PDB file of all heavy atoms in Angstrom:
ATOM      1  N   PHE A 333     113.559 167.901 154.220  1.00 75.00           N
ATOM      2  CA  PHE A 333     114.554 166.839 153.449  1.00 75.00           C
ATOM      3  C   PHE A 333     114.685 165.504 154.263  1.00 75.00           C
ATOM      4  O   PHE A 333     115.053 164.487 153.649  1.00 75.00           O
ATOM      5  CB  PHE A 333     115.918 167.514 153.312  1.00 75.00           C
ATOM      6  CG  PHE A 333     115.961 168.185 152.033  1.00 75.00           C
ATOM      7  CD1 PHE A 333     115.362 169.291 151.675  1.00 75.00           C
ATOM      8  CD2 PHE A 333     116.787 167.613 150.929  1.00 75.00           C
ATOM      9  CE1 PHE A 333     115.492 169.947 150.347  1.00 75.00           C
ATOM     10  CE2 PHE A 333     116.994 168.273 149.723  1.00 75.00           C
ATOM     11  CZ  PHE A 333     116.354 169.437 149.450  1.00 75.00           C
ATOM     12  N   GLY A 334     114.536 165.564 155.597  1.00 72.00           N
ATOM     13  CA  GLY A 334     114.601 164.395 156.357  1.00 72.00           C
ATOM     14  C   GLY A 334     113.476 163.359 156.074  1.00 72.00           C
ATOM     15  O   GLY A 334     113.681 162.175 156.263  1.00 72.00           O
ATOM     16  N   LEU A 335     112.450 163.781 155.453  1.00 79.00           N
ATOM     17  CA  LEU A 335     111.381 162.804 155.043  1.00 79.00           C
ATOM     18  C   LEU A 335     111.701 161.943 153.838  1.00 79.00           C
ATOM     19  O   LEU A 335     111.048 161.016 153.683  1.00 79.00           O
ATOM     20  CB  LEU A 335     110.063 163.622 154.696  1.00 79.00           C
ATOM     21  CG  LEU A 335     109.433 164.310 155.893  1.00 79.00           C
ATOM     22  CD1 LEU A 335     108.230 165.113 155.478  1.00 79.00           C
ATOM     23  CD2 LEU A 335     109.061 163.458 157.072  1.00 79.00           C
ATOM     24  N   ILE A 336     112.843 162.410 153.217  1.00 79.00           N
ATOM     25  CA  ILE A 336     113.200 161.589 151.952  1.00 79.00           C
ATOM     26  C   ILE A 336     113.535 160.314 152.415  1.00 79.00           C
ATOM     27  O   ILE A 336     113.357 159.279 151.614  1.00 79.00           O
ATOM     28  CB  ILE A 336     114.345 162.351 151.255  1.00 79.00           C
ATOM     29  CG1 ILE A 336     113.883 163.710 150.659  1.00 79.00           C
ATOM     30  CG2 ILE A 336     114.992 161.441 150.096  1.00 79.00           C
ATOM     31  CD1 ILE A 336     115.069 164.535 150.035  1.00 79.00           C
ATOM     32  N   GLY A 337     114.254 160.091 153.540  1.00 75.00           N
ATOM     33  CA  GLY A 337     114.665 158.899 153.960  1.00 75.00           C
ATOM     34  C   GLY A 337     113.653 157.905 154.464  1.00 75.00           C
ATOM     35  O   GLY A 337     113.963 156.679 154.756  1.00 75.00           O
ATOM     36  N   VAL A 338     112.353 158.383 154.566  1.00 80.00           N
ATOM     37  CA  VAL A 338     111.343 157.466 155.111  1.00 80.00           C
ATOM     38  C   VAL A 338     111.164 156.156 154.256  1.00 80.00           C
ATOM     39  O   VAL A 338     110.906 155.019 154.784  1.00 80.00           O
ATOM     40  CB  VAL A 338     110.050 158.225 155.307  1.00 80.00           C
ATOM     41  CG1 VAL A 338     108.836 157.359 155.742  1.00 80.00           C
ATOM     42  CG2 VAL A 338     110.138 159.224 156.333  1.00 80.00           C
ATOM     43  N   ILE A 339     111.077 156.486 152.993  1.00 78.00           N
ATOM     44  CA  ILE A 339     110.867 155.401 151.981  1.00 78.00           C
ATOM     45  C   ILE A 339     111.920 154.338 152.129  1.00 78.00           C
ATOM     46  O   ILE A 339     111.731 153.076 152.085  1.00 78.00           O
ATOM     47  CB  ILE A 339     110.898 155.923 150.520  1.00 78.00           C
ATOM     48  CG1 ILE A 339     109.708 156.926 150.377  1.00 78.00           C
ATOM     49  CG2 ILE A 339     110.777 154.731 149.618  1.00 78.00           C
ATOM     50  CD1 ILE A 339     109.627 157.486 148.970  1.00 78.00           C
ATOM     51  N   VAL A 340     113.215 154.768 152.262  1.00 78.00           N
ATOM     52  CA  VAL A 340     114.342 153.804 152.463  1.00 78.00           C
ATOM     53  C   VAL A 340     114.264 153.133 153.707  1.00 78.00           C
ATOM     54  O   VAL A 340     114.401 151.869 153.780  1.00 78.00           O
ATOM     55  CB  VAL A 340     115.684 154.519 152.416  1.00 78.00           C
ATOM     56  CG1 VAL A 340     117.015 153.578 152.638  1.00 78.00           C
ATOM     57  CG2 VAL A 340     115.907 155.343 151.014  1.00 78.00           C
ATOM     58  N   ILE A 341     113.851 153.772 154.835  1.00 79.00           N
ATOM     59  CA  ILE A 341     113.821 153.193 156.083  1.00 79.00           C
ATOM     60  C   ILE A 341     112.742 152.067 156.159  1.00 79.00           C
ATOM     61  O   ILE A 341     112.968 150.974 156.597  1.00 79.00           O
ATOM     62  CB  ILE A 341     113.539 154.318 157.133  1.00 79.00           C
ATOM     63  CG1 ILE A 341     114.583 155.258 157.349  1.00 79.00           C
ATOM     64  CG2 ILE A 341     113.155 153.569 158.496  1.00 79.00           C
ATOM     65  CD1 ILE A 341     114.396 156.382 158.255  1.00 79.00           C
ATOM     66  N   VAL A 342     111.521 152.283 155.562  1.00 79.00           N
ATOM     67  CA  VAL A 342     110.444 151.386 155.579  1.00 79.00           C
ATOM     68  C   VAL A 342     110.665 150.191 154.642  1.00 79.00           C
ATOM     69  O   VAL A 342     110.352 149.139 154.963  1.00 79.00           O
ATOM     70  CB  VAL A 342     109.142 152.161 155.077  1.00 79.00           C
ATOM     71  CG1 VAL A 342     108.084 151.198 154.914  1.00 79.00           C
ATOM     72  CG2 VAL A 342     108.807 153.268 156.116  1.00 79.00           C
ATOM     73  N   SER A 343     111.373 150.422 153.496  1.00 78.00           N
ATOM     74  CA  SER A 343     111.697 149.354 152.646  1.00 78.00           C
ATOM     75  C   SER A 343     112.813 148.524 153.065  1.00 78.00           C
ATOM     76  O   SER A 343     113.109 147.311 152.467  1.00 78.00           O
ATOM     77  CB  SER A 343     111.986 149.917 151.245  1.00 78.00           C
ATOM     78  OG  SER A 343     113.155 150.747 151.278  1.00 78.00           O
ATOM     79  N   ALA A 344     113.588 148.915 154.096  1.00 77.00           N
ATOM     80  CA  ALA A 344     114.871 148.040 154.587  1.00 77.00           C
ATOM     81  C   ALA A 344     114.360 146.680 154.910  1.00 77.00           C
ATOM     82  O   ALA A 344     115.154 145.753 154.538  1.00 77.00           O
ATOM     83  CB  ALA A 344     115.536 148.879 155.612  1.00 77.00           C
ATOM     84  N   PRO A 345     113.390 146.390 155.717  1.00 79.00           N
ATOM     85  CA  PRO A 345     113.040 144.910 156.113  1.00 79.00           C
ATOM     86  C   PRO A 345     112.754 144.253 154.908  1.00 79.00           C
ATOM     87  O   PRO A 345     113.019 142.974 154.873  1.00 79.00           O
ATOM     88  CB  PRO A 345     111.836 145.183 157.033  1.00 79.00           C
ATOM     89  CG  PRO A 345     111.974 146.533 157.634  1.00 79.00           C
ATOM     90  CD  PRO A 345     112.490 147.412 156.490  1.00 79.00           C
ATOM     91  N   ILE A 346     112.051 144.770 153.950  1.00 78.00           N
ATOM     92  CA  ILE A 346     111.786 144.039 152.620  1.00 78.00           C
ATOM     93  C   ILE A 346     113.023 143.676 151.862  1.00 78.00           C
ATOM     94  O   ILE A 346     113.253 142.458 151.524  1.00 78.00           O
ATOM     95  CB  ILE A 346     110.656 144.894 151.766  1.00 78.00           C
ATOM     96  CG1 ILE A 346     109.490 145.179 152.509  1.00 78.00           C
ATOM     97  CG2 ILE A 346     110.419 144.080 150.455  1.00 78.00           C
ATOM     98  CD1 ILE A 346     108.561 146.125 151.713  1.00 78.00           C
ATOM     99  N   TYR A 347     113.818 144.589 151.817  1.00 77.00           N
ATOM    100  CA  TYR A 347     115.069 144.342 150.988  1.00 77.00           C
ATOM    101  C   TYR A 347     115.958 143.299 151.844  1.00 77.00           C
ATOM    102  O   TYR A 347     116.584 142.466 151.236  1.00 77.00           O
ATOM    103  CB  TYR A 347     115.873 145.623 150.857  1.00 77.00           C
ATOM    104  CG  TYR A 347     117.405 145.586 150.451  1.00 77.00           C
ATOM    105  CD1 TYR A 347     117.650 145.280 149.111  1.00 77.00           C
ATOM    106  CD2 TYR A 347     118.403 145.399 151.406  1.00 77.00           C
ATOM    107  CE1 TYR A 347     118.878 145.165 148.601  1.00 77.00           C
ATOM    108  CE2 TYR A 347     119.691 145.249 150.878  1.00 77.00           C
ATOM    109  CZ  TYR A 347     120.051 145.081 149.596  1.00 77.00           C
ATOM    110  OH  TYR A 347     121.189 144.943 149.055  1.00 77.00           O
ATOM    111  N   SER A 348     115.976 143.434 153.056  1.00 76.00           N
ATOM    112  CA  SER A 348     116.763 142.502 153.917  1.00 76.00           C
ATOM    113  C   SER A 348     116.124 141.070 153.756  1.00 76.00           C
ATOM    114  O   SER A 348     116.958 140.110 153.661  1.00 76.00           O
ATOM    115  CB  SER A 348     116.620 142.973 155.484  1.00 76.00           C
ATOM    116  OG  SER A 348     117.147 144.210 155.678  1.00 76.00           O
ATOM    117  N   ARG A 349     114.827 140.958 153.709  1.00 78.00           N
ATOM    118  CA  ARG A 349     114.224 139.625 153.534  1.00 78.00           C
ATOM    119  C   ARG A 349     114.616 138.982 152.196  1.00 78.00           C
ATOM    120  O   ARG A 349     114.819 137.761 152.080  1.00 78.00           O
ATOM    121  CB  ARG A 349     112.782 139.723 153.757  1.00 78.00           C
ATOM    122  CG  ARG A 349     112.017 138.426 153.699  1.00 78.00           C
ATOM    123  CD  ARG A 349     112.520 137.368 154.763  1.00 78.00           C
ATOM    124  NE  ARG A 349     111.814 136.092 154.752  1.00 78.00           N
ATOM    125  CZ  ARG A 349     112.379 135.008 155.114  1.00 78.00           C
ATOM    126  NH1 ARG A 349     113.634 134.919 155.556  1.00 78.00           N
ATOM    127  NH2 ARG A 349     111.525 133.946 155.131  1.00 78.00           N
ATOM    128  N   LEU A 350     114.505 139.813 151.097  1.00 77.00           N
ATOM    129  CA  LEU A 350     114.661 139.296 149.734  1.00 77.00           C
ATOM    130  C   LEU A 350     116.191 139.207 149.287  1.00 77.00           C
ATOM    131  O   LEU A 350     116.536 138.383 148.580  1.00 77.00           O
ATOM    132  CB  LEU A 350     114.086 140.338 148.827  1.00 77.00           C
ATOM    133  CG  LEU A 350     112.448 140.381 148.893  1.00 77.00           C
ATOM    134  CD1 LEU A 350     111.972 141.481 147.991  1.00 77.00           C
ATOM    135  CD2 LEU A 350     111.808 139.037 148.803  1.00 77.00           C
ATOM    136  N   VAL A 351     117.146 140.120 150.091  1.00 76.00           N
ATOM    137  CA  VAL A 351     118.519 140.016 149.567  1.00 76.00           C
ATOM    138  C   VAL A 351     119.427 139.683 150.708  1.00 76.00           C
ATOM    139  O   VAL A 351     120.240 138.709 150.500  1.00 76.00           O
ATOM    140  CB  VAL A 351     118.899 141.383 148.962  1.00 76.00           C
ATOM    141  CG1 VAL A 351     120.354 141.423 148.649  1.00 76.00           C
ATOM    142  CG2 VAL A 351     117.944 141.835 147.781  1.00 76.00           C
ATOM    143  N   ILE A 352     119.494 140.409 151.722  1.00 73.00           N
ATOM    144  CA  ILE A 352     120.498 140.159 152.747  1.00 73.00           C
ATOM    145  C   ILE A 352     120.458 138.927 153.369  1.00 73.00           C
ATOM    146  O   ILE A 352     121.375 138.331 153.734  1.00 73.00           O
ATOM    147  CB  ILE A 352     120.484 141.388 153.811  1.00 73.00           C
ATOM    148  CG1 ILE A 352     120.540 142.741 153.240  1.00 73.00           C
ATOM    149  CG2 ILE A 352     121.509 141.150 154.963  1.00 73.00           C
ATOM    150  CD1 ILE A 352     120.417 143.936 154.204  1.00 73.00           C
ATOM    151  N   ASP A 353     119.063 138.334 153.631  1.00 75.00           N
ATOM    152  CA  ASP A 353     119.055 137.070 154.168  1.00 75.00           C
ATOM    153  C   ASP A 353     119.353 135.897 153.331  1.00 75.00           C
ATOM    154  O   ASP A 353     119.758 134.817 153.668  1.00 75.00           O
ATOM    155  CB  ASP A 353     117.516 136.819 154.537  1.00 75.00           C
ATOM    156  CG  ASP A 353     117.075 137.292 155.865  1.00 75.00           C
ATOM    157  OD1 ASP A 353     118.118 137.493 156.801  1.00 75.00           O
ATOM    158  OD2 ASP A 353     115.938 137.606 156.120  1.00 75.00           O
ATOM    159  N   ARG A 354     119.640 136.178 151.933  1.00 79.00           N
ATOM    160  CA  ARG A 354     120.032 135.197 150.938  1.00 79.00           C
ATOM    161  C   ARG A 354     121.458 135.269 150.536  1.00 79.00           C
ATOM    162  O   ARG A 354     122.029 134.192 150.152  1.00 79.00           O
ATOM    163  CB  ARG A 354     119.071 135.269 149.865  1.00 79.00           C
ATOM    164  CG  ARG A 354     117.668 135.069 150.007  1.00 79.00           C
ATOM    165  CD  ARG A 354     116.794 135.468 148.901  1.00 79.00           C
ATOM    166  NE  ARG A 354     115.338 135.438 149.095  1.00 79.00           N
ATOM    167  CZ  ARG A 354     114.612 134.379 148.885  1.00 79.00           C
ATOM    168  NH1 ARG A 354     115.163 133.288 148.302  1.00 79.00           N
ATOM    169  NH2 ARG A 354     113.304 134.246 149.120  1.00 79.00           N
ATOM    170  N   VAL A 355     122.144 136.385 150.688  1.00 79.00           N
ATOM    171  CA  VAL A 355     123.539 136.555 150.197  1.00 79.00           C
ATOM    172  C   VAL A 355     124.409 136.761 151.503  1.00 79.00           C
ATOM    173  O   VAL A 355     123.936 137.116 152.547  1.00 79.00           O
ATOM    174  CB  VAL A 355     123.666 137.675 149.267  1.00 79.00           C
ATOM    175  CG1 VAL A 355     122.655 137.420 148.081  1.00 79.00           C
ATOM    176  CG2 VAL A 355     123.338 138.995 149.907  1.00 79.00           C
ATOM    177  N   VAL A 356     125.622 136.591 151.215  1.00 82.00           N
ATOM    178  CA  VAL A 356     126.591 136.841 152.309  1.00 82.00           C
ATOM    179  C   VAL A 356     126.553 138.306 152.629  1.00 82.00           C
ATOM    180  O   VAL A 356     126.426 139.239 151.860  1.00 82.00           O
ATOM    181  CB  VAL A 356     128.104 136.477 151.927  1.00 82.00           C
ATOM    182  CG1 VAL A 356     128.168 134.853 151.713  1.00 82.00           C
ATOM    183  CG2 VAL A 356     128.571 137.084 150.657  1.00 82.00           C
ATOM    184  N   PRO A 357     126.735 138.631 153.954  1.00 83.00           N
ATOM    185  CA  PRO A 357     126.621 140.069 154.299  1.00 83.00           C
ATOM    186  C   PRO A 357     127.648 141.030 153.539  1.00 83.00           C
ATOM    187  O   PRO A 357     127.286 142.162 153.404  1.00 83.00           O
ATOM    188  CB  PRO A 357     126.946 140.015 155.793  1.00 83.00           C
ATOM    189  CG  PRO A 357     126.585 138.577 156.266  1.00 83.00           C
ATOM    190  CD  PRO A 357     126.862 137.853 155.102  1.00 83.00           C
TER     191      PRO A 357
END
Side-chain angles (χ1 to χ4, degrees):
F333 265 72
L335 297 176
I336 295 174
V338 172
I339 298 176
V340 177
I341 293 171
V342 173
S343 63
I346 301 173
Y347 170 83
S348 300
R349 182 63 177 149
L350 297 177
V351 179
I352 303 180
D353 275 334
R354 299 171 183 264
V355 302
V356 292

